[in-house]
Amino acid sequence: MNNQDLAKNVLDLVGGEQNISGLTHCATRLRFVLKDDNKADLKALDQLEGVLRAQNSGGQVQIVIGAKVDAVYSEVRKLTSDRIGGGEESVDNGPKKRRNPVNVVLETIAGIFTPVLPALVGCGMIKCLSTVMAAMDGLKVQASSRSLT
């Protein structure tokens, strides 16, 4: 199934454009904020070719697509008006949902640390390499016997 067909099917199975109040994506998932979660057919979404998993989590319908999520997201955006999504002109006519305060705090913490993760991973890899080299006597620090006097 090509990306355009997948986008059409996903859009139909989440209840259509009228049911969507927000649309974003991450590295592997399309994330829909729906006005009425009951209109989304998660079982049918799970059965779609190209969809790895569909679930309702954290007030969102999350559709796991994998590496081609960006292309499918672009196709969904082409099929919908510019009023949905995370943009400035986003319109939400549905009732406001109360979010779990614990989830809000965890999402905030994750949002703060996510940009720093590559630097932390790089530092960890350097530390790992230096530890391995030191254990193999690859890093020998020689003390100078000369004094600077």
Side-chain angles (χ1 to χ4, degrees):
M1 179 178 298
N2 67 28
N3 294 336
Q4 188 175 18
D5 292 338
L6 180 58
K8 285 179 188 176
N9 289 335
V10 165
L11 194 58
D12 289 340
L13 292 173
V14 296
E17 180 181 351
Q18 302 79 15
N19 193 34
I20 301 171
S21 62
L23 169 63
T24 59
H25 73 90
C26 64
T28 58
R29 299 171 188 223
L30 287 174
R31 298 173 182 266
F32 291 90
V33 178
L34 302 179
K35 295 175 184 175
D36 183 5
D37 289 341
N38 295 325
K39 290 183 180 179
D41 189 353
L42 295 178
K43 288 183 181 179
L45 282 166
D46 260 340
Q47 301 302 317
L48 277 179
E49 178 185 338
V51 173
L52 302 175
R53 185 172 180 210
Q55 64 188 12
N56 190 336
S57 176
Q60 299 175 335
V61 171
Q62 299 178 0
I63 302 170
V64 182
I65 293 180
K68 66 180 187 173
V69 70
D70 194 38
V72 176
Y73 173 80
S74 296
E75 292 297 329
V76 171
R77 295 293 294 173
K78 288 178 189 175
L79 296 171
T80 60
S81 68
D82 290 331
R83 296 184 310 153
I84 66 168
E88 298 170 15
E89 300 177 20
S90 178
V91 175
D92 183 7
N93 296 328
K96 297 287 182 189
K97 296 180 183 176
R98 290 198 65 188
R99 297 180 62 198
N100 185 346
V102 174
N103 285 346
V104 171
V105 169
L106 291 176
E107 287 174 11
T108 302
I109 292 171
I112 291 169
F113 285 104
T114 299
V116 182
L117 284 178
L120 293 175
V121 169
C123 290
M125 292 302 296
I126 291 170
K127 177 68 175 169
C128 179
L129 287 173
S130 69
T131 302
V132 168
M133 289 179 71
M136 298 174 68
D137 290 331
L139 277 179
K140 289 189 179 182
V141 178
Q142 294 181 352
S144 176
S145 61
R146 294 186 203 171
S147 65
L148 297 175
T149 59

